[in-house]
Structures are given as structure tokens and as C-alpha cells.
């Protein structure tokens, strides 16, 4: 089973903090040539996909590489990659890192990554900036003509919560306003990630996952406990139908422990391709389920950690 996300890269400020350099990556099968190209690159402010996200101050989605500011078009197309999403992580106004996700084209490639935005001066609703939908053409058409008030649908509910959100069984979830369209293309899981900027704008990144090509094999949301002494499990979903709430009952992750605790301690996204050495409850349980690679994305609001969204490829 191939996951919808084929590549995850981390771009970090170099010692001058004026350019971004390669900070690690997770690559699917047959992508070693693309990795080799990426390892030697640098991006300036507003240059390429990582630099564009840095300059924009919010997530950026690029659904076509050709004739764009993207720097690795030929190599990406040769590797079968067709879409890139860059998520900058800031501490206040200072960039910590940019995480870049790449998706690839397949015959039965169904799922979506969407970017939604609200500008309170313009509207009280959230509209689609852009999205990548694989082969789900009608779902894409309807999504581009849908807007969400705060608290409604996956983008609106994520906006209201201010935390990552997971909606399961979308075909039965009336809180997912596009459930009929989703059922037709067998999209069954939605994950929303809020992103606030300092100018009252709100962005929401949504991952919509189909059974045949899941976005990732497992999603987990970890949040600080009341005393902010440890992270506790809040919600999750596993393609193997594992009961994650029962699995993590009574367990926690300390600051700095494993990739998830490390994302809290540093405010930096973490990539881990050897979960056997992770050391946290999440890493141990993932290994026991046969999972080996994890991405941990800190969700930061007002300069403090709100949550860590982890997913496993």
C-alpha cells in the first residue's frame, strides 16, 4: 500500500540564517535520485517552494510544478511527484524550519490536501486557496465552490478549535459537509491543522484520506496536560483499526522524549526513519505495529505549543 504523501523534507536556516539548507527527509521507494538532488540545494528568502513559504508566513500549496517558481521540476516529474505543500514553522516572527510534503500521481490516486483561508476583513467564512485531489475530480470541483463558516465542516471546526482535528468515517459524519461527495470516491478520514498568522488571518491545512491510498498509516494528536509537564494523547486514527485511545491510556510523553517530545522541546518539526530508537510510548507502540517512519509537526499558537500532530508513513 502506497501512502498519498510520498516525500517529507525539512528545510532549516543555515548558520547565516539567510538561506535554507536541507535538514533531512523521508522518501518513498524509487526516490533516491530526487533525494540526492535535494541534499545539495539551498533556498533564499522567497526562493523556491521552501523560500516562498518562509516569505509568505503561511502554508503554500503548489499543484503544478511546470512554469512556476519551483526549482526541481524535471527531477520531481521524473520521480512521479506532482504536488508540493510547504508548511513554515515560526517562533514569533522568526523562522524555525519549513516542512515540505510531496504527493505523487497514481492511477487510483484518491485523497486530498487542501489549504483554506479566512481574512476577517473580507469574509466571516473560510474559502479554498488551492488543493490537490489526485483523481477525485468531482470532489475537487465541489470543494472549490464551497465556503465554511467558523465551526462548520472540517476547515471551520478546525478553525474554531484552534487545535488539530480528526474526523473519522466521513461517509457517516454529518459534521463533514461534503460527506456525500467523499463517499463517492471512498474518502473516509479527515485531518485538519490550524495555522494562525500575526495579522488575524487563519489558515487551515486539511488532509483527506482514502482507504486505498491513505494520507498516512496512522495519525496521532498529542497535547500538553494541565500542568504542561507532559504530552498526553488526545485523538488519533490508524489504518490497521488499532484502538489508540486504549493503547495510550495512562501513558504520556515528556518534553524532549523521542520525536514527539523533541518537537515540543525545540519547536522544530521532527522526522524519524528509525522508530526503534525513538524511546517514547508512541515510538514503541508504532514499532510494535510494524511502523518505522514518523513525522512530528508542532502546532504553535501565541509562541506556546498547542499540540503535536504526528503521522506515520
Amino acid at each position: 500500500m502506497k501512502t498519498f504523501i510520498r516525500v517529507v523534507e525539512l528545510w532549516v536556516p543555515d548558520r547565516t540564517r539567510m538561506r535554507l539548507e536541507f535538514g533531512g527527509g523521508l522518501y518513498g521507494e524509487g526516490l533516491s535520485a530526487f533525494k540526492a538532488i535535494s541534499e545539495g540545494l539551498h533556498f533564499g528568502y522567497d526562493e523556491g517552494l521552501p523560500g516562498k513559504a518562509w516569505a509568505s508566513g503561511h502554508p503554500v500549496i503548489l499543484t503544478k510544478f511546470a512554469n512556476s517558481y519551483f526549482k526541481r521540476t524535471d527531477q520531481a516529474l521524473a520521480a512521479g511527484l506532482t504536488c508540493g505543500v510547504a508548511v513554515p514553522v515560526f517562533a514569533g516572527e522568526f523562522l524555525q524550519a519549513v516542512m515540505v510534503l510531496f504527493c505523487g500521481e497514481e492511477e487510483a490516486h484518491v485523497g486530498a490536501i487542501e489549504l483554506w483561508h479566512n481574512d476577517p476583513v473580507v469574509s466571516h467564512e473560510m474559502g479554498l486557496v488551492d488543493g490537490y485531489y489526485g483523481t477525485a475530480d468531482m470532489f475537487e470541483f465541489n470543494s472549490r465552490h464551497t465556503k465554511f463558516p467558523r465551526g462548520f465542516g472540517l476547515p471551520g471546526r478546525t478553525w474554531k478549535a484552534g487545535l488539530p482535528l480528526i474526523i473519522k468515517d466521513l461517509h457517516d459524519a454529518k459534521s463533514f459537509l461534503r460527506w456525500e461527495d467523499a463517499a463517492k470516491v471512498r474518502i473516509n478520514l479527515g485531518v485538519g491543522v490550524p495555522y494562525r498568522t500575526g495579522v488575524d488571518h487563519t489558515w487551515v491545512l486539511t488532509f483527506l484520506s482514502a482507504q486505498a491510498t491513505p494520507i498516512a498509516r496512522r495519525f496521532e494528536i498529542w497535547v500538553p496536560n494541565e500542568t504542561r509537564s507532559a504530552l498526553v494523547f488526545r485523538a488519533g486514527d490508524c489504518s490497521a483499526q488499532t484502538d489508540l485511545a486504549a493503547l495510550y491510556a495512562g501513558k504520556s510523553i515528556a518534553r524532549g522524549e523521542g520525536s514527539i517530545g523533541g518537537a515540543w522541546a525545540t519547536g522544530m518539526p521532527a522526522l524519524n526513519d528509525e522508530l526503534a530508537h525513538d524511546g517514547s510510548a508512541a515510538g514503541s507502540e508504532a514499532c510494535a505495529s510494524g511502523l518505522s517512519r514518523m513525522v512530528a509537526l508542532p502546532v504553535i499558537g501565541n509562541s506556546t505549543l498547542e499540540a503535536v500532530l504526528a503521522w506515520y508513513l
Side-chain angles (χ1 to χ4, degrees):
M1 183 195 297
K2 280 187 176 177
T3 54
F4 196 77
I5 295 173
R6 300 278 304 284
V7 174
V8 184
E9 294 178 341
L10 207 54
W11 295 88
V12 297
D14 67 8
R15 57 186 179 76
T16 71
R17 299 197 65 85
M18 296 299 291
R19 295 198 305 167
L20 298 173
E21 63 183 7
F22 184 76
L26 301 177
Y27 295 83
E29 291 179 24
L31 292 168
S32 56
F34 186 73
K35 178 184 179 183
I37 288 288
S38 301
E39 286 175 331
L41 291 179
H42 289 78
F43 294 99
Y45 186 78
D46 206 25
E47 182 185 14
L49 185 56
K52 184 67 70 174
W54 180 9
S56 300
H58 58 72
V60 172
I61 185 166
L62 190 57
T63 56
K64 289 186 177 65
F65 296 143
N67 303 313
S68 74
Y69 52 81
F70 191 71
K71 296 289 186 184
R72 295 170 279 171
T73 299
D74 293 344
Q75 294 88 347
L77 295 181
L81 303 175
T82 49
C83 166
V85 181
V87 184
V89 177
F90 287 90
E93 62 181 330
F94 304 107
L95 183 76
Q96 299 281 81
V98 178
M99 179 183 284
V100 178
L101 317 173
F102 288 102
C103 303
E105 196 65 86
E106 300 285 338
E107 284 288 322
H109 191 72
V110 173
I113 296 180
E114 304 171 315
L115 182 62
W116 300 83
H117 175 228
N118 168 262
D119 179 351
V121 174
V122 175
S123 172
H124 66 281
E125 295 180 312
M126 188 163 265
L128 185 73
V129 177
D130 208 347
Y132 177 75
Y133 296 87
T135 56
D137 296 337
M138 185 53 68
F139 186 77
E140 174 177 358
F141 177 83
N142 290 335
S143 297
R144 291 188 184 280
H145 293 82
T146 302
K147 292 189 182 299
F148 293 99
R150 192 169 185 268
F152 291 86
L154 178 58
R157 288 182 62 195
T158 304
W159 177 14
K160 183 177 180 181
L163 289 168
L165 200 63
I166 293 175
I167 301 180
K168 306 179 188 182
D169 301 321
L170 292 184
H171 56 283
D172 290 329
K174 298 302 186 282
S175 59
F176 186 76
L177 300 185
R178 297 172 286 165
W179 67 272
E180 289 184 89
D181 297 324
K184 290 173 185 172
V185 292
R186 307 191 76 181
I187 287 175
N188 65 327
L189 175 77
V191 180
V193 186
Y195 194 99
R196 288 185 295 276
T197 61
V199 290
D200 295 328
H201 287 226
T202 303
W203 307 76
V204 169
L205 202 59
T206 56
F207 300 98
L208 302 175
S209 194
Q211 288 164 315
T213 48
I215 293 280
R217 301 182 198 284
R218 179 181 287 186
F219 280 99
E220 296 171 356
I221 298 168
W222 294 79
V223 297
N225 61 11
E226 288 186 9
T227 60
R228 297 189 70 86
S229 59
L231 296 173
V232 293
F233 179 78
R234 178 182 174 90
D237 182 81
C238 181
S239 59
Q241 308 303 317
T242 304
D243 185 346
L244 296 178
L247 200 65
Y248 292 125
K251 296 179 180 176
S252 62
I253 296 177
R255 190 188 295 257
E257 183 182 15
S259 295
I260 293 174
W264 182 20
T266 63
M268 292 274 288
L271 307 182
N272 190 332
D273 60 0
E274 291 189 20
L275 280 176
H277 303 141
D278 184 82
S280 72
S284 300
E285 297 295 354
C287 281
S289 299
L291 300 168
S292 60
R293 303 189 299 167
M294 175 215 283
V295 179
L297 177 66
V299 177
I300 299 170
N302 299 322
S303 299
T304 59
L305 184 92
E306 303 282 356
V308 176
L309 173 66
W311 66 89
Y312 301 78
L313 299 172

